[in-house]
Amino acid sequence: MDYWDIKEVVREMIPRQNVLVPVTSEGGFRKGRRAGYKEYKLFPQGWNEYKRELGGMKSAFEVSCKAAGCPSPLNLDVWDGKVCYFNCNYCFANHFRSTLYENFFDRVPDGLRHVDLGEFERELGDLMSARFQSALEKMSPEKRAIALRIPIRLGVRFENFLPQEKRDGISLHVLRLLAKYHYPVIIDTKSILLAEDEYLEAMASNPGGVVVQLSLSSANPKLLKAMEPGAPSPAERFEAARRLNEAGIRAVLRVEPFLPFLADSRSEMGEYASRAKEAGVEWMCWDSFSYSTASAVTRRLFQEARLDFDRMFLAASDSRMMTGILLYGMMENFRSLGFRCSTYDDMNSHLNEDTLCCNVTGALSGYRMNYGSTKAAEAFIHSRQGPTGWADYNTHVMKNGGFLSEELREEMWKLWNHDGNAAYGMGWLSVVPSGRDEHGLKWAPAEKNPNLERGLEVIRGN
Amino acid sequence: MEIDSFVASLLRFGRGAGGDSVVAWEGEVAYGLSYDRTVLVRAITDVVRVGEVVFRATDYEGSEVKMEGDRVTFYPGSGVKVRVQRPAFSWKGLHGLYERLWSEEGPGVSLSRSDLKLLDESLPHVELVWDGSQIKLLQRDIYTGKVVEILKGRSGEARAKMAIRTGDFWALMGMGLLWDIRAADGYFCASTVGVRAILGGCVYDDLGDLGVV
């Protein structure tokens, strides 16, 4: 059963919407003010003005709030802004920032800011001092991550290689600093700036290794122009991937978001695969449409581009079952064409061809993963023959440097016991409950992911 | 229908995202176009309005309202004025859309709120199938794979299936207890006492763009 067999069934379950007239945007003013406004919060003493003046960036580093699900959660963003000029209509950050940073960016003409390099160097030096230490208990989560040599990920929260970067060279300087520390780096980007000589040299000089994940959901320039109007074209991104690979920097193509019905035809994906091959790409990352991006604004932007947001979103995000089986089908298709595929999606992560879902095997040196995460727990349970309890897993994590924070340990314990955020629970992975002990559930490895198998049974009509 | 109720009802269509829903009112007829342009509702109002007024449903501040050029002013009372911009639609434009799409032809069915009691509001669509001897309302649970089928006996001609969003179905039922619903070419025409609605249908194909009827 290949992807298009699966889609034949899915298309009969999730229909396409007809509109009466095209959805268009209108200018003009609306009720309410967006500039110079004041916001108040109610305290027991009365209303207090609430200011969101951010000032300088306090830290460019952050352990992701989704660390419980992520094996490489150490984020670094040296650029930040209200608006990214790539202007992707599915970006969760633009809409979030436009409200959060309103006051701050009232005073910043181009809407972008970056770290102060002097302060950044001091912070990086302090963090890097943790590399050879073993007493992690009193360290911040970020320092623990450095001590454990978890790769630094640039670009999870903002694009660090916009045209302003070419002018100012902030990220370039940061890449050179990280090379001095021999620290492994993963970069998420849509920019082609990294294919320029000075960036290639900065990355190639890092003995810890650098992997560049070039985000590219489709090879269709017309579709991407509608969805990512300011980003480089597919042709430019394929060419950047070729230059990176030729320079010995692994370019991973990142199909995130994967877009069923919008970018999944046999001919289009065939073209994607052949152009990726021409660019020397071997590794690919896949993931679904971010659930948290499903705001009315995002939906409207898709509709203004005459794209059926609801059909895509229901298939590629809202229904975990549909998302899992569609991703499975498309990744199997690309695997059959010789690509090595990995995903963050829990229903498919047991099939990953990489220890992290970021596709870094063989490209980074001396790195470790966040063992205190559900995916690491899944791998640990599979490495054992019998049922695994929390105590065994906890010992395993402690032997590997421990959890990145006490909060993360508590979150993981909840997820282990079917509590906490259900979207990231152990129950989505290729493990099954196999008993209880004094710490809660015990888990055993499943030969196949039970959720994926159930989804495929639905598709088969059983 | 009171214009207050009409505006409130309109905001329930199109998955409840009200930001750009448009109301156009003149004489005793008000039109409402949903935020996502999938539903056009036409209602007979209890008050006859002299002169056209067009506004966004979310701007609504009461039935005391005037329009001058591209500005709409509401007078909610106590001397307060709320001035907003008129959306780029006109009563004539929406009336023309209604005239073009409204159809009394085609296979139809009468449905009441009680027919919908078995529907699951959390599922996104309801599929309607006329097969000559019965009307079938079908919901596919895209989260678990289950299927809900409601059969209702009737006579009529065979018809290809078309779906409607569950939320729109309920919004429709909020405006009247009993509706006659007919399938047209890519959309539905629905009528009850004093209210008519045209709803974009949902079709089963391979494409990902929005179809325009």
Side-chain angles (χ1 to χ4, degrees), chain A residues 262-305:
Chain A
L262 298 179
D264 67 343
S265 70
R266 198 185 288 268
S267 61
E268 202 174 322
M269 293 318 264
E271 189 190 344
Y272 190 114
S274 64
R275 292 174 75 179
K277 285 267 177 191
E278 285 165 18
V281 171
E282 184 187 353
W283 298 82
M284 294 181 71
C285 274
W286 297 79
D287 209 352
S288 53
F289 192 90
S290 169
Y291 187 83
S292 55
T293 312
S295 68
V297 176
T298 305
R299 182 167 173 257
R300 175 72 176 209
L301 290 171
F302 271 73
Q303 289 170 338
E304 287 177 4

Side-chain angles (χ1 to χ4, degrees), chain A residues 6-66:
Chain A
I6 294 170
K7 193 182 166 191
E8 277 292 301
V9 180
V10 173
R11 57 167 251 165
E12 296 300 314
M13 299 178 78
I14 304 174
R16 179 168 70 113
Q17 179 69 47
N18 282 337
V19 295
L20 306 182
V21 291
V23 180
T24 53
S25 65
E26 290 182 49
F29 71 88
R30 298 288 178 90
K31 200 162 66 172
R33 284 153 56 98
R34 299 282 294 167
Y37 70 95
K38 289 184 178 179
E39 184 175 344
Y40 293 87
K41 282 191 181 274
L42 184 60
F43 290 88
Q45 299 81 8
W47 291 99
N48 278 4
E49 187 175 348
Y50 178 60
K51 290 186 178 176
R52 293 182 286 198
E53 301 272 353
L54 297 182
M57 291 169 75
K58 284 182 184 160
S59 174
F61 289 92
E62 174 204 64
V63 167
S64 168
C65 60
K66 293 184 177 171

